Amino acid sequence: MIVDAGPRTEVDARVEPTVSRLSFPNGTLLPGLFDAHVHLALDAGSDPAETLHTASDAELSAGRAMRAEQLLSTGGTTVRDLGYRGGPAVRLRDEITSGRKPRPRVLAAGTPLTAPGGHCWFLGGEVAGEAAIRSAVRRNAANGVDLVVVEGDPLSGLSALRSVRLVLAEGRPFGPGTALSDPPDARDR
């Protein structure tokens, strides 16, 4: 975290003498990188959906933490984890925020919303109809998510634009934002 800037002599004068100082005269300062679309629950195997269904909760939790650490080691300081069923991304975010795990900052989504059989259906967020969409948004908000994900295919026969408006309206009182995964009929609007 950068807390001061300026010529070194001026910054040194404003800092307590007990504060550690590091010098990298030939180094380059790189800002932290923000990865806006990750699924920390998914591994890089040939069938990540199968891994989600066969791995234990402990294995999935360890995998999420390992992938978050890998992102941090390559310069990723913030990630937007776009979902899995339930609240594991929220738990990882809370562990990081509490200082129990040195990982990147996580903006956590819960279960992504999709039409039955739609994109990422295997994450458990299939919804059919406005009542189901509203219920899913409330469930995600109750889990403490930072955002609700709406997958790109139209939800439950509604246009993607109408679905997104419904999610925004339903989520607004609870605070979560909304992320989109390329809604097809909203591109030209």
Side-chain angles (χ1 to χ4, degrees):
M1 174 188 328
I2 298 172
V3 294
D4 200 349
R8 183 178 181 124
T9 55
E10 292 177 18
V11 173
D12 278 344
R14 291 187 292 263
V15 177
E16 296 289 326
T18 58
V19 172
S20 297
R21 287 157 171 80
L22 303 173
S23 178
F24 301 97
N26 298 317
T28 301
L29 179 64
L30 175 68
L33 303 175
F34 187 122
D35 193 332
H37 190 143
V38 300
H39 292 274
L40 293 174
L42 301 179
D43 68 9
S46 61
D47 190 352
E50 180 62 23
T51 301
L52 286 178
H53 294 295
T54 59
S56 70
D57 286 347
E59 290 168 326
L60 292 173
S61 180
R64 279 190 293 279
M66 178 198 66
R67 286 182 278 285
E69 188 171 346
Q70 288 172 337
L71 284 164
L72 184 62
S73 73
T74 57
T77 58
T78 302
V79 299
R80 200 167 63 163
D81 188 350
L82 296 184
Y84 180 58
R85 61 181 172 258
V90 171
R91 287 191 296 277
L92 179 61
R93 177 204 62 202
D94 292 347
E95 289 174 355
I96 292 167
T97 302
S98 73
R100 292 190 307 255
K101 292 190 184 228
R103 308 283 192 269
R105 177 176 175 233
V106 173
L107 299 175
T111 307
L113 281 57
T114 190
H119 184 65
C120 287
W121 64 269
F122 57 87
L123 295 177
E126 294 176 299
V127 290
E130 289 188 25
I133 293 171
R134 290 180 193 282
S135 177
V137 171
R138 288 182 184 148
R139 221 175 13 261
N140 275 319
N143 283 334
V145 301
D146 298 306
L147 63 142
V148 174
V149 175
V150 178
E151 293 298 351
D153 43 5
L155 299 178
S156 312
L158 302 176
S159 73
L161 188 58
R162 184 170 167 206
S163 296
V164 169
R165 286 182 176 153
L166 177 62
V167 169
L168 286 170
E170 192 64 31
R172 191 167 288 118
F174 304 106
T178 302
L180 306 178
S181 180
D182 195 25
D185 69 341
R187 280 182 242 168
D188 299 324
R189 296 182 186 182

